[in-house]
Amino acid sequence: MGEADRLSIAAGVAGRILMERAGLAVFEALRRRFPEARRVAVLAGPGNNGGDAFVVARLLAEAGLALRCHLLGPAADLRGDAAHAARGYHGPVEPLAAFAPDEADLVLDGLFGAGLSRPAAGEAADAIERANASGVPIVAIDLPSGISGLTGAAPGAAIRASLTVTFFRRKPGHLLEPGRSHCGETVLAPIGIAPSVLDEIAPRTFANEPPLWRDKLPSPDRIGHKYDRGHAVVFSGGVTQTGAGRMAATAALRIGAGLVTVFSPPSALLANAAHLTAIMLQRCEDEAELAERLEDTRLNAFAIGPGFGIGEKAARFVAALLAADRSVVIDADAISSFRDAPQALFEAIGRSGGAGVLTPHGGEFARLFPDLAEGSGSKLDRAREAAARSGAVVVLKGADTVIAAPNGRAAINATGTPYLATAGSGDVLSGMILGWLSQKVPPFEAACAAVWMHGMAARLHGPGLIAEDLPAMLPQVLASLDF
């Protein structure tokens, strides 16, 4: 975003104009969301974020609201466009120490922008803590003060906003936790930066939303048949661990796979048969039977891990699937089975002509990538490095799931909801990714689409969600995309 500003200014859009437009966007969003607010406390910092705050303060004063404007540091330290904006506001400016949030209906946070690289300290940290403790609604300019725009981290005191207004494009800190939670509602406002600047910037990080992947998804053809839509396979666990595999298989079928089969050990055949209808069932006990099944090249995508069991058998099955050049979703127990030999997994993925997709939660991620899990990088950095190292698309799950490809592309998801914190929801996600892979959707887009739809299905259902409910919500999600 700093480069976007620079390129726009170089193209002839004055920095003061960008600041004026940013301030106007904040003013308009603030008045729409809090029309009853009459007393506003404005917190301005020493940089361009503070300059935006002074523009908003001027507009609020012109609208007749009662203001108290507080500046961090002396006014003489303001420079450039921020100093110009401060001169445009003609009301009194008080020191930040005089900030009294209980005397305001609304607090405007313009202390620090997205470029903050260290914890807020001193009177700034004190003002942030007092603002949060007051319960008064807070509107943040660009990003809540104290949140890193790069990582979403809050290394010290950080504003908890009700509304955040940012400009042109969001930063990772708007989507990565805890930044996402600190933002409250986020409004994205245009301020006259031309989208063509992105051609030069060439960003590799995206918000996970339909424009990123929709054109890669298949649309059912009038003359097509089920064999055109792939044949997905899910491995079942033993007789007491069959539910996870069936949920994954159901999700694959719902997402559009033409055929779905559950490969089951003999002990679980009857248990699975009692629950499966449109989903087929085949015995698969050992590597010899798996090799026999893999002779059918129509079986083009597999998911292994949910309920399968941790151990050498899982590792050998994964290796066999990858050696057969199949697309494989490697989840749960299959991930943990490589805890002591992650490099063997990565090498098998590298040799495979199929697609590998790893879907770890935080604990499983640490089993394959212990150094990354303990490192200081952001979740985005960790997922991107893991994808490059493993050669697989990595879906690092959580409230802010990150999907990363080996070529450096990454997407941050924002459809996650607490309703998904229920047993089996990850198994359903694996099945959804599998279903798209079976339809020959590229692995990065398959994972991104599945993660987004997974969250939307949970949101549509709402309270009381259990994992079995998710596949039944997918037709509504698909319909919203004009499928």
Side-chain angles (χ1 to χ4, degrees):
M1 276 303 302
E3 183 67 1
D5 285 345
R6 188 193 68 77
L7 291 171
S8 296
I9 292 168
V13 181
R16 293 179 183 180
I17 297 299
L18 293 176
M19 186 170 287
E20 184 69 22
R21 290 170 179 170
L24 177 61
V26 174
F27 169 77
E28 291 176 342
L30 180 158
R31 296 296 284 154
R32 283 194 304 269
R33 174 73 181 272
F34 301 102
E36 73 290 346
R38 304 304 305 166
R39 302 173 302 163
V40 181
V42 177
L43 310 182
N48 283 344
N49 201 245
D52 295 340
F54 277 112
V55 173
V56 182
R58 189 196 79 229
L59 295 170
L60 290 169
E62 291 171 355
L65 276 69
L67 294 184
R68 291 188 67 180
C69 193
H70 305 275
L71 176 63
L72 174 61
D77 288 350
L78 294 172
R79 294 287 182 270
D81 297 331
H84 177 78
R87 289 192 295 270
Y89 171 68
H90 301 299
V93 177
E94 304 176 65
L96 190 59
F99 167 52
D102 294 339
E103 298 176 7
D105 303 318
L106 189 69
V107 174
L108 178 67
D109 166 34
L111 287 173
F112 305 115
L116 185 69
S117 59
R118 61 184 184 278
E123 59 180 341
D126 181 61
I128 289 170
E129 297 286 9
R130 282 185 284 136
N132 288 340
S134 71
V136 176
I138 305 172
V139 176
I141 300 174
D142 193 23
L143 196 71
S145 291
I147 296 293
S148 165
L150 188 63
T151 69
I159 285 288
R160 290 192 170 273
S162 300
L163 175 69
T164 297
V165 185
T166 192
F167 318 109
F168 183 57
R169 294 293 187 273
R170 286 168 290 181
K171 292 82 175 171
H174 290 110
L175 297 174
L176 293 170
E177 293 288 1
R180 175 178 149 195
S181 294
H182 277 258
C183 287
E185 176 190 356
T186 298
V187 171
L188 183 64
I191 57 172
I193 297 175
S196 59
V197 301
L198 296 177
D199 296 336
E200 182 169 342
I201 295 170
R204 298 187 305 157
T205 304
F206 305 90
N208 185 28
E209 294 173 351
L212 182 63
W213 38 259
R214 181 160 35 198
D215 65 349
K216 300 292 186 181
L217 303 187
S219 180
D221 191 280
R222 289 183 179 181
I223 61 171
H225 51 76
K226 60 188 177 185
Y227 296 105
D228 294 329
R229 298 169 66 184
H231 193 150
V233 177
V234 178
F235 287 87
S236 170
V239 66
T240 62
Q241 294 178 294
T242 60
R246 286 198 303 273
M247 284 191 292
T250 301
L253 194 64
R254 281 287 189 188
I255 213 73
L259 301 100
V260 179
T261 295
V262 169
F263 278 8
S264 172
S267 65
L269 283 169
L270 289 179
N272 280 315
H275 292 278
L276 299 176
T277 49
I279 295 166
M280 296 178 286
L281 181 63
Q282 286 193 349
R283 169 186 165 131
C284 187
E285 167 67 4
D286 52 30
E287 290 167 88
E289 286 190 341
L290 176 58
E292 182 181 340
R293 301 283 179 260
L294 288 172
E295 291 176 6
D296 185 350
T297 57
R298 294 173 299 178
L299 306 178
N300 64 324
F302 292 75
I304 182 168
F308 190 81
I310 299 172
E312 284 298 318
K313 179 179 177 179
R316 291 194 302 268
F317 272 38
V318 170
L321 294 170
L322 291 168
D325 295 339
R326 300 309 210 273
S327 294
V328 189
V329 181
I330 305 164
D331 186 27
D333 292 349
I335 292 175
S336 296
S337 295
F338 286 92
R339 179 174 191 164
D340 296 328
Q343 191 60 37
L345 173 60
F346 305 157
E347 290 173 0
I349 292 170
R351 291 190 299 267
S352 177
V357 179
L358 296 169
T359 57
H361 56 55
E364 292 159 351
F365 184 88
R367 289 167 198 147
L368 290 185
F369 309 99
D371 58 323
L372 299 180
E374 296 173 2
S376 59
S378 71
K379 186 172 186 176
L380 177 63
D381 295 332
R382 294 195 298 273
R384 184 174 269 140
E385 174 59 28
R389 183 182 301 180
S390 67
V393 168
V394 172
V395 180
L396 182 49
K397 295 184 289 194
D400 53 352
T401 295
V402 175
I403 307 98
N407 65 4
R409 284 191 301 162
I412 308 169
N413 192 64
T415 62
T417 166
Y419 300 136
L420 286 170
T422 184
S425 65
D427 306 322
V428 173
L429 175 61
S430 291
M432 292 169 65
I433 299 171
L434 169 68
W436 287 128
L437 288 175
S438 73
Q439 298 173 77
K440 299 182 174 59
V441 177
F444 178 71
E445 286 79 7
C448 287
V451 168
W452 186 87
M453 293 178 187
H454 189 243
M456 292 303 295
R459 290 185 177 194
L460 282 170
H461 188 283
L465 175 79
I466 58 175
E468 291 95 320
D469 298 324
L470 287 166
M473 304 307 298
L474 291 176
Q476 292 185 54
V477 178
L478 292 167
S480 73
L481 296 167
D482 297 324
F483 273 82

